[in-house]
Amino acid sequence: MQLIRYQLSSTQTAVGITQNGKLLEHPPESLHTLLSLRSNEFRTRIEQAATQAHSDVQPAHLLAPIDGDTEVWAAGVTYKRSMDARREESETPDIYSKVYTAARPELFFKAVARRVSGPNQPIAVRADSTWDVPEPELALVVNAYGEIVGYTIANDVSSRSIEGENPLYLPQAKVYAGSCALGPAITPAWEIADPYNLNMYMSIERDGATCWQGQTSVGNLHRRLEELVDYLYREDDFPGGAILCTGTALVPDQPFTLQSGDIVKITIDQLGTLSNPVTRRKATDRNPIKTL
Ligand code: DO4
Ligand code: MG
């Protein structure tokens, strides 16, 4: 069973529950309202809705599974591969080793809901960046009470040239229009027996051929998922819940950089595949990356 968000009509979006690709029913709530509930109430609402009559509607156009005031945050340097890659690109490598082993994890704000790309919507590389990578990540869906109620897939698209020049440029390397994709759906936490057992795959297609591919497991994560949530919720409140990206373990080696027209596909066991085409913004472009 999964929760999706989709385009119901030209003006309306809906939240739906799917099983084996078939739409069962849509609960009346928005996702951020569901995330304002405690986990037992969240589960009851979803299971009740799922037992109702099957709908004939085919959710043709999937949207990012996030709405309202739910925020996207991200953890960094949580896998050894991420620490090593950042040490290579940075003029101040020690900060990455220190944060990898410190008690307090690196956490940063990534996106508001309206700025998140959904399945098949474009992701972007910055016009003022010369070295760009996708970051495939397991994302935790966390309710207002700090309980992990689901999982989805995230792409934390990042500029390595901007972060590498100076780590204080991190918000510019990480937070811009088209830098975050989520989807294709939220898998409820009770459907995943052991999140550390999930395998993750990424492939990047260019001109019809695979130009990069890799595989890892959430089992290589250097921290516990609850520990990341605990730090995020320590002195902040999230009435509409939060999506917390848990860091990347797949970083293409130098000199790989994303190009306009590439297609990034991220698959995580039991969660599905998130696929997004890459676009490069022009420095003068002030149009939105996506209009939905
Ligand atoms: O320190 C920079 C961010 C790291 C990150 O996004 C990751 O490890 O996934
Ligand atoms: Mg990341």
Side-chain angles (χ1 to χ4, degrees):
M1 179 194 295
Q2 291 187 308
L3 276 170
I4 55 166
R5 215 177 124 246
Y6 63 103
Q7 197 70 35
L8 192 59
S9 68
S10 57
T11 53
Q12 263 187 304
T13 63
V15 173
I17 298 169
T18 61
Q19 195 130 42
N20 303 322
K22 215 170 147 29
L23 185 69
L24 297 182
E25 193 49 75
H26 50 91
E29 293 95 343
S30 54
L31 283 173
H32 70 274
T33 309
L34 289 169
L35 292 180
S36 71
L37 305 173
R38 286 205 176 268
S39 62
N40 53 353
E41 215 182 324
F42 173 85
R43 182 169 183 168
T44 306
R45 272 312 155 90
I46 292 176
E47 289 184 335
Q48 267 171 2
T51 57
Q52 288 164 16
H54 289 206
S55 157
D56 287 336
V57 181
Q58 275 305 310
H61 189 150
L62 288 183
L63 302 170
I66 182 168
D67 58 24
D69 62 355
T70 307
E71 296 171 15
V72 185
W73 285 71
V77 200
T78 50
Y79 290 87
K80 186 173 179 302
R81 173 68 189 125
S82 177
M83 176 188 68
D84 290 343
R86 277 164 234 279
R87 283 185 59 86
E88 270 167 43
E89 81 196 9
S90 180
E91 290 173 19
T92 48
D94 288 355
I95 60 165
Y96 295 100
S97 329
K98 281 187 182 156
V99 82
Y100 182 71
T101 51
R104 184 187 292 275
E106 176 195 4
L107 293 174
F108 57 93
F109 176 77
K110 182 69 185 172
V112 291
R114 68 160 182 83
R115 211 182 270 142
V116 177
S117 300
N120 303 313
Q121 289 181 321
I123 49 175
V125 293
R126 296 180 60 118
D128 58 358
S129 170
T130 54
W131 186 17
D132 303 275
V133 286
E135 292 191 1
E137 305 191 7
L138 173 71
L140 310 177
V141 181
V142 189
N143 68 13
Y145 300 91
E147 299 168 307
I148 300 172
V149 295
Y151 303 96
T152 189
I153 302 172
N155 192 341
D156 170 26
V157 190
S158 303
S159 163
R160 295 187 74 180
S161 53
I162 294 176
E163 184 185 340
E165 186 181 341
N166 187 326
L168 293 178
Y169 293 151
L170 188 85
Q172 293 174 77
K174 294 275 185 186
V175 186
Y176 58 88
S179 70
C180 180
L182 293 176
I186 293 172
T187 303
W190 62 87
E191 302 255 312
I192 304 291
D194 180 2
Y196 299 95
N197 242 339
L198 298 174
N199 292 314
M200 198 183 310
Y201 311 83
M202 179 167 71
S203 69
I204 304 170
E205 289 169 19
R206 182 169 298 165
D207 302 327
T210 301
C211 64
W212 193 89
Q213 62 184 342
Q215 172 180 348
T216 187
S217 162
V218 179
N220 296 322
L221 186 69
H222 182 61
R223 295 181 185 268
R224 304 300 293 174
L225 300 172
E226 288 74 13
E227 171 193 344
L228 298 175
V229 175
D230 175 58
Y231 272 95
L232 180 62
Y233 276 62
R234 274 191 180 187
E235 294 295 336
D236 222 336
D237 61 339
F238 298 94
I243 307 260
L244 178 54
C245 311
T246 55
T248 193
L250 292 175
V251 185
D253 272 324
Q254 293 195 50
F256 179 91
T257 187
L258 282 175
Q259 289 180 12
S260 195
D262 288 354
I263 296 176
V264 181
K265 287 188 181 166
I266 305 170
T267 299
I268 300 185
D269 291 344
Q270 297 183 67
L271 306 191
T273 298
L274 174 65
S275 177
N276 298 95
V278 177
T279 182
R280 179 176 286 278
R281 304 259 284 180
K282 293 190 180 62
T284 51
D285 196 353
R286 294 290 177 268
N287 296 323
I289 285 284
K290 63 188 188 86
T291 50
L292 290 171

